[in-house]
Amino acid sequence: MGSGWSSEEERQPLLGSGLGPGPGAAWRSQEAAAAALPETAPGPGRVYGRRWLVLLLFSLLAFAQGLVWNTWGPIQNSARQAYGFSSWDIALLVLWGPIGFLPCFAFMWLLDKRGLRVTVLLTSFLMVLGTGLRCVPVSDLMLKRSVINGGQTILSRLCGSLVLNLLMFVSQTWFSADERATATAIASMLSYLGGACAFLVGPLVVPAPNGTSPLLASENSRAHIKDLIETVLYAEFGFVCLIFSATLAYFPPRPPLPPSVAAASQRLSYRRSFCRLLSNLRFLMIALAYAIPFGVFAGWSGVLDLILTPVHVSQVDAGWIGFWSIVGGCVVGISIARFADFIRGMLKLILLLLFSGATLSSTWFTLSCLNSITHLPLTTVTLYASCILLGVFLNSSIPIFFELFVETVYPVPEGITCGVVTFLSNIFMGVLLFFLTFYHTELSWFNWCLPGSCLLSLLLILCFRESYDRLYLDVVVSV
């Protein structure tokens, strides 16, 4: 992976065993290695205009994946009415997300061995199968719930691990060093924007049965809600089919020439990559700083309607809160990533600022929901403001984290690095949602997990010692 222009099966680090960017490598320790590189390393790369088309197709795929995964959370009251879902069923539909990440290591191997085009086509094909399975017309409600769970579990969310594993690989393969963070931000933010659109589309198309109260309604009302939910499912299926057709028609595996020195350099093999990751304490530290808060935040976002129902927030309002919190994070995230491309070597400082804001905003939201004790105002304005700020601070840090992961463990392939991190994130998300399936009657404990995880991440980032091995290679050798 990362060496698609090389035919060697066993990939070795470009800097050699004695000069490679091992744990704790700093800028000043690499100058001797850099001096020996120009004779053997590739020269400056070339970028192609088609890279933006490739990024657009992949971003649409990521958008659709986020949309499909978050179908049920924003309309949980309507789903209860139409299909007889319980709170446990809604939590289980979200829980299939982290369960779907269990085979991600096989997908890492596939990406490493078969390359970008094959992996992207498999991802889009799995999404077609998954969304199509959810649309199978079944009259029996018990069987219908099983079919929906099958589509959500076996197919739809399996591709989630593929999409996240591919993020850094796409930017590394097609974009130059001063565009990589921006490309990563666009693709990752579009994935979250898909989840945000689910907060918007679902509640606007599918009405709540009776405000936020899942009371039994007439048979005609239940049938009407069910028809509208199926309309959403069919629309998602059609959208995914269009994306699959587009990627099948055009999605090249790589450009004719690499865009940077790092893109053309040889990488570690699949087995050696895992050994390097598991033995790198700095990587484990920054991986936990990402995995814990984002695992909590993903689970919390997936059942946001369930959390806000006890404080008398309607399904539509909960959808708008979720939508704007993610959209704000997407806009700010792309802007910060573009800024990071210009001021290289400041990723840790950016993360410290973002997680300081995330800790404060999540604490504000949690205390506001306990207004009977804290006496803080609980209004639509405070809920919107605290949730939007939380989404802005957390979501905008995603591309910064991904860039820092790759810089820390280079020359480990990008897909393997991001796959391990997202697997850890989904473990924390799965554990949290597992407890939610048993403790879903009172959810204040779930809110407290947010500021606790953000504070822990802030401390880990503060203790982390950064290095920029890949960036230094690009800058020195290109010169």
Side-chain angles (χ1 to χ4, degrees):
M1 184 184 302
S3 60
W5 295 270
S6 172
S7 61
E8 297 187 29
E9 180 177 351
E10 181 71 12
R11 302 176 179 90
Q12 303 294 334
L14 183 61
L15 299 184
S17 58
L19 299 174
W27 285 82
R28 62 180 179 274
S29 66
Q30 296 170 328
E31 294 187 3
L37 280 172
E39 294 181 359
T40 58
R46 174 186 173 185
V47 292
Y48 297 83
R50 74 191 80 166
R51 69 190 187 280
W52 297 109
L53 176 58
V54 172
L55 182 63
L56 174 63
L57 290 175
F58 180 76
S59 299
L60 288 175
L61 182 65
F63 176 88
Q65 190 277 323
L67 180 69
V68 168
W69 170 69
N70 199 29
T71 299
W72 301 102
I75 57 171
Q76 55 102 5
N77 286 318
S78 302
R80 292 182 188 185
Q81 182 68 53
Y83 299 109
F85 283 142
S86 63
S87 297
W88 188 91
D89 292 322
I90 298 296
L92 185 62
L93 284 171
V94 182
L95 180 61
W96 291 133
I99 292 176
F101 268 79
L102 291 178
C104 73
F105 296 104
F107 294 146
M108 294 180 206
W109 177 88
L110 178 69
L111 178 60
D112 188 54
K113 298 299 182 183
R114 303 298 297 173
L116 185 60
R117 175 174 170 81
V118 172
T119 311
V120 168
L121 288 178
L122 175 62
T123 302
S124 54
F125 179 68
L126 285 175
M127 290 186 63
V128 170
L129 291 179
T131 52
L133 186 60
R134 299 189 309 174
C135 296
V136 173
V138 178
S139 57
D140 182 75
L141 289 182
M142 182 67 71
L143 183 58
K144 182 65 175 179
R145 288 198 296 269
S146 299
V147 170
I148 290 174
N149 276 283
Q152 203 77 6
T153 310
I154 301 173
L155 302 171
S156 297
R157 189 51 179 165
L158 284 179
C159 62
S161 57
L162 283 167
V163 169
L164 292 176
N165 291 356
L166 286 165
L167 285 175
M168 292 299 300
F169 191 52
V170 171
S171 62
Q172 170 77 16
T173 303
W174 283 91
F175 290 84
S176 61
D178 59 352
E179 294 177 334
R180 283 195 297 245
T182 303
T184 301
I186 292 174
S188 59
M189 293 298 99
L190 261 292
S191 176
Y192 283 87
L193 187 61
C197 286
F199 280 114
L200 178 63
V201 174
L204 289 181
V205 176
V206 182
N210 186 16
T212 60
S213 176
L215 300 177
L216 291 177
S218 64
E219 195 66 31
N220 290 335
S221 176
R222 182 182 296 110
H224 178 64
I225 293 174
K226 182 180 177 182
D227 289 340
L228 291 176
I229 292 178
E230 292 181 350
T231 299
V232 172
L233 297 182
Y234 280 116
E236 292 178 351
F237 174 64
F239 181 53
V240 170
C241 287
L242 287 176
I243 296 175
F244 173 69
S245 300
T247 55
L248 186 63
Y250 180 80
F251 200 96
R254 58 181 178 269
L257 294 175
S260 65
V261 175
S265 64
Q266 297 174 338
R267 303 302 176 86
L268 298 181
S269 65
Y270 185 78
R271 179 181 57 84
R272 294 186 62 193
S273 295
F274 279 99
C275 294
R276 173 70 67 88
L277 293 178
L278 297 179
S279 62
N280 192 327
L281 295 180
R282 292 191 309 121
F283 168 74
L284 295 177
M285 179 184 295
I286 196 64
L288 288 176
Y290 170 88
I292 296 175
F294 280 97
V296 173
F297 182 65
W300 179 83
S301 300
V303 292
L304 182 61
D305 187 20
L306 202 62
I307 291 173
L308 293 178
T309 295
V311 293
H312 309 292
V313 176
S314 68
Q315 181 172 279
V316 174
D317 283 336
W320 278 111
I321 290 174
F323 174 78
W324 287 115
S325 66
I326 299 177
V327 168
C330 292
V331 174
V332 175
I334 294 175
S335 302
I336 290 178
R338 191 61 191 148
F339 180 67
D341 275 330
F342 284 106
I343 54 162
R344 303 172 182 178
M346 303 289 288
L347 299 181
K348 176 181 176 179
L349 177 60
I350 295 174
L351 289 178
L352 285 174
L353 295 175
L354 291 175
F355 268 83
S356 297
T359 302
L360 293 175
S361 57
S362 59
T363 303
W364 180 21
F365 172 83
T366 301
L367 294 178
S368 297
C369 290
L370 298 174
N371 64 324
S372 60
I373 300 175
T374 61
H375 302 291
L376 291 175
L378 179 63
T379 63
T380 302
V381 174
T382 59
L383 286 176
Y384 267 81
S386 58
C387 285
I388 289 174
L389 286 175
L390 177 61
V392 166
F393 288 126
L394 281 182
N395 289 327
S396 59
S397 69
I398 294 173
I400 307 300
F401 263 121
F402 279 16
E403 288 293 319
L404 191 56
F405 295 148
V406 176
E407 296 288 352
T408 301
V409 298
Y410 183 85
V412 175
E414 292 80 6
I416 295 178
T417 303
C418 296
V420 170
V421 172
T422 52
F423 177 76
L424 290 175
S425 175
N426 277 268
I427 287 179
F428 286 102
M429 175 184 171
V431 170
L432 203 62
L433 292 176
F434 176 77
F435 281 105
L436 180 62
T437 60
F438 295 99
Y439 303 101
H440 54 266
T441 56
E442 205 281 321
L443 298 176
S444 61
W445 64 271
F446 208 158
N447 289 334
W448 279 110
C449 291
L450 277 174
S453 62
C454 291
L455 180 60
L456 177 59
S457 178
L458 183 62
L459 295 176
L460 290 173
I461 296 171
L462 189 63
C463 299
F464 175 74
R465 183 162 56 90
E466 60 189 335
S467 65
Y468 299 89
D469 306 320
R470 180 186 62 164
L471 179 60
Y472 193 84
L473 176 66
D474 277 326
V475 171
V476 172
V477 176
S478 295
V479 175

